[in-house]
Amino acid sequence: MNVIEAARLGKRYWTTWALRDCTLAIPAGRVAALAGPNGAGKTTLMHLAVGLTAPTEGRVTVLGGQPAGSPEALSRVAFVAQDVPLYKHLPVQDMVRVAGALNGRRWDQARADRRLAAMDIPLRRKVGRLSGGQQAQVALTIALARRPEFLVLDEPLAPLDPLARHEFLASVMETAAEDGTSVLFSSHVVAELERVADYLIVLAAGRVQVAGDVEDLVASHQVLTGPAAGTGAVGAQFDVVHAQKGLAQAHLLVRRRTAAARPPEGWQAHPVTLEELMLAYLREPEASALPGPEPLAASAATGVTS
Amino acid sequence: MGWAVWRQHRTALAWLGALLLAFGTAVLVAGIAVRGLYATEIRHGCLGSSAWSATCRPLQNRVLFGWPQRYMYEVMLLVRTVPVVIGVFLGAPLLAREYTAGTVRFAWTQGIGRTRWAAATLGLLGAAAAAVACLLALLTQWSVQPVAVQTPRFTNRWHPEFFDSTALTAATAALLAFAIGVLAGALIRRVVPAMAVTAACAITVADLTYNRVHYWLLGQGLRLTRDQALGASPNVGIPLSGPIYIHEPAGPSNPGPTGAWLDEGWYTNASGHRLSNDAVIKLLDKHAGTGPAWLSRLHDTFWVTYQPGGRYWIFQVLLGGGTVLAALLLGAVTLAVIRYRRA
């Protein structure tokens, strides 16, 4: 099952495309990171996936074919929006109970109570008076008490200090591990993605540039160092994503065409970090690393021709 | 869901309760005082136009020309502003605040779904608004009733002050103003501009209902009667430009079917032709004081169209029902806006 399947998905605000031609399938059971610079369309993609926004073109489904925003999808997908919007004038305990009233049978009040107690969050304090980290934890608590199958978090770490980030990510990882919840979270901070994500999507300028398993991506990419004059020889077995050439030496971030690809004579291969990989792609908007057959198969399965 | 709506809008509902309490207490106190004076009048047998005795005159003057009369007109005006207040302070901020605070992104992604969330919120708060307006209208009508019955020509139940502010019509007016406010908030998405637009729209609607819709509605399906005695009335003989709109109930100085609402009147001459207003004015000027009587001696006839008294509740239901329909229509538009516009 895929938690998100998007086929030629696009969203235009007036004359500007926030997201365009986005074809994507995120498999279930992953902690997927949605990365990209500000304005790349991360929030738009998430809003489309949770049904807050309707697409201008294409379609998006969640949890194996449920239309985004349908009653079925809403009851199984939990979303924490950017800047954690909550009713700030309500005390924490009332905020949580209001959320419970908006969620019906799946709601797990005991779980919410346990989490709030474990986090030492003062229940009678108004949400607006809590620290940024505590507000984020309240929002996460509400999302988790819905016992979602798919948890979508939009820039959850942005307002948090390093310690709060650590705690927040630990909570998310714990849930993903315990309940088997699939997670999609967006961030423009690369370092924290690397720690927790096992699936990566890079959006740039409204298009999907990279999508795939982190392990596969890291394994299929390398940095090759060799003579600046001999870069032509690399192209036979590798796709060059980004080239950095000096007078004598060149550093190429490349993608292997086949697992058997070996660097040519005179070239040295180094493993690549996720951060290097992402930065290389972001510097070369024309380059892309997409798992070809999967999204196409997904769109065929949902009846959309591409 | 009911608890959630209550908890979330407790402050707004508390303000509504405070309005009810303050206004209600003032009206209750005034009503008790007015009813005290009324009781004194009854005790001295001073009701009815024939009772202008030396004992009665000061008592009646106190009610008809003293503070109770002023109170009646002012409180009737005030009770008509209640729906506007509800629309501006309860309706307009409802969705506008969710948009500005970004909490729509919370509310609309919960399991209940945005349509059910909106329907429950709007339904429950709309009902609260209607209930408050209904209670205030009931109290107000109770408090002014002793004054009103003594000046039936100007303060009859058919008059817009009363007709548009009964428990039924006040409640529906509040519902409509609330719906206007909610829609303005959904479209404008900012609290203060939405409140301003709501105020303008709700006042316009109240004004149109009072000055236009009311008379238009009561002008539907009129009956026609010929009334010699009515023609002799010194009051309806005063011609205006155009047709003579009477817009008064039948009563001591407006003879007609009991309890009826008189709409329009005109004179015809012996051959059945309608007299122009100029002709009537000339006749009246020529025979000052005896004009109408003179008209009837010449077999001129006064015709009047009227609404029978028995139709009062039909028209109450028509006005109230029409207002509810308008409110539901705006509510449906609001739900469509919530459903189809991006967050």
Side-chain angles (χ1 to χ4, degrees), chain B residues 91-183:
Chain B
L94 194 64
L95 293 173
R97 203 181 289 129
E98 297 268 359
Y99 280 110
T100 49
T103 42
V104 284
R105 292 173 296 154
F106 171 80
W108 295 0
T109 49
Q110 303 304 303
I112 188 171
R114 62 175 86 175
T115 311
R116 277 173 65 203
W117 171 85
T121 306
L122 303 191
L124 289 169
L125 293 180
V132 166
C134 175
L135 279 173
L136 284 179
L138 268 180
L139 260 177
T140 304
Q141 297 235 336
W142 167 83
S143 78
V144 300
Q145 193 248 346
V147 191
V149 295
Q150 294 180 62
T151 54
R153 272 191 59 201
F154 311 108
T155 54
N156 184 270
R157 61 179 184 159
W158 290 97
H159 279 96
E161 287 95 336
F162 290 84
F163 196 87
D164 297 0
S165 304
T166 61
L168 174 69
T169 48
T172 57
L175 200 63
L176 179 58
F178 174 74
I180 290 171
V182 172
L183 180 57

Side-chain angles (χ1 to χ4, degrees), chain A residues 24-35:
Chain A
L24 182 72
I26 304 176
R30 308 300 178 92
V31 175
L34 182 60

Side-chain angles (χ1 to χ4, degrees), chain B residues 12-13 15-17 19-20 79-94 125-136 170-182 195 198-199 202:
Chain B
L13 289 170
W15 279 107
L16 203 60
L19 170 78
L20 179 64
V79 82
R80 285 208 308 281
T81 65
V82 167
V84 179
V85 169
I86 285 173
V88 170
F89 291 98
L90 185 67
L94 194 64
L125 293 180
V132 166
C134 175
L135 279 173
L136 284 179
T172 57
L175 200 63
L176 179 58
F178 174 74
I180 290 171
V182 172
M195 287 170 82
T198 304

Side-chain angles (χ1 to χ4, degrees), chain A residues 199-230:
Chain A
Y199 197 89
L200 177 73
I201 304 111
V202 179
L203 280 185
R207 288 165 196 271
V208 180
Q209 213 184 352
V210 178
D213 264 312
V214 168
E215 270 181 36
D216 295 349
L217 284 171
V218 171
S220 62
H221 288 77
Q222 289 176 315
V223 174
L224 299 183
T225 309

Side-chain angles (χ1 to χ4, degrees), chain B residues 232-318:
Chain B
S233 157
N235 294 297
V236 292
I238 300 165
L240 309 163
S241 58
I244 307 169
Y245 286 113
I246 307 175
H247 291 159
E248 281 182 15
S253 49
N254 286 341
T258 313
W261 168 256
L262 309 176
D263 189 64
E264 188 191 340
W266 62 88
Y267 288 96
T268 54
N269 61 21
S271 56
H273 287 104
R274 194 164 165 162
L275 291 184
S276 75
N277 289 333
D278 285 349
V280 176
I281 290 170
K282 272 187 196 139
L283 285 168
L284 285 169
D285 281 351
K286 216 155 117 189
H287 307 275
T290 57
W294 184 76
L295 283 169
S296 17
R297 271 203 306 280
L298 285 177
H299 305 291
D300 289 346
T301 313
F302 192 78
W303 293 86
V304 66
T305 53
Y306 70 99
Q307 235 21 290
R311 290 186 184 169
Y312 174 81
W313 283 107
I314 296 176
F315 282 103
Q316 273 284 300
V317 169
L318 283 176

Side-chain angles (χ1 to χ4, degrees), chain A residues 141-227:
Chain A
T141 299
I142 288 171
L144 294 180
R146 295 175 58 188
R147 289 190 283 133
E149 291 168 45
F150 183 29
L151 177 61
V152 182
L153 308 162
D154 191 3
E155 295 276 1
L157 306 170
L160 306 186
D161 62 51
L163 182 63
R165 283 180 186 205
H166 184 85
E167 284 178 353
F168 190 92
L169 281 178
S171 305
V172 172
M173 297 307 292
E174 196 183 295
T175 311
E178 275 176 16
D179 302 359
T181 308
S182 309
V183 179
L184 173 67
F185 74 101
S186 68
S187 181
H188 58 269
V189 185
V190 180
E192 62 204 12
L193 304 183
E194 197 158 11
R195 283 223 315 276
V196 294
D198 53 21
Y199 197 89
L200 177 73
I201 304 111
V202 179
L203 280 185
R207 288 165 196 271
V208 180
Q209 213 184 352
V210 178
D213 264 312
V214 168
E215 270 181 36
D216 295 349
L217 284 171
V218 171
S220 62
H221 288 77
Q222 289 176 315
V223 174
L224 299 183
T225 309

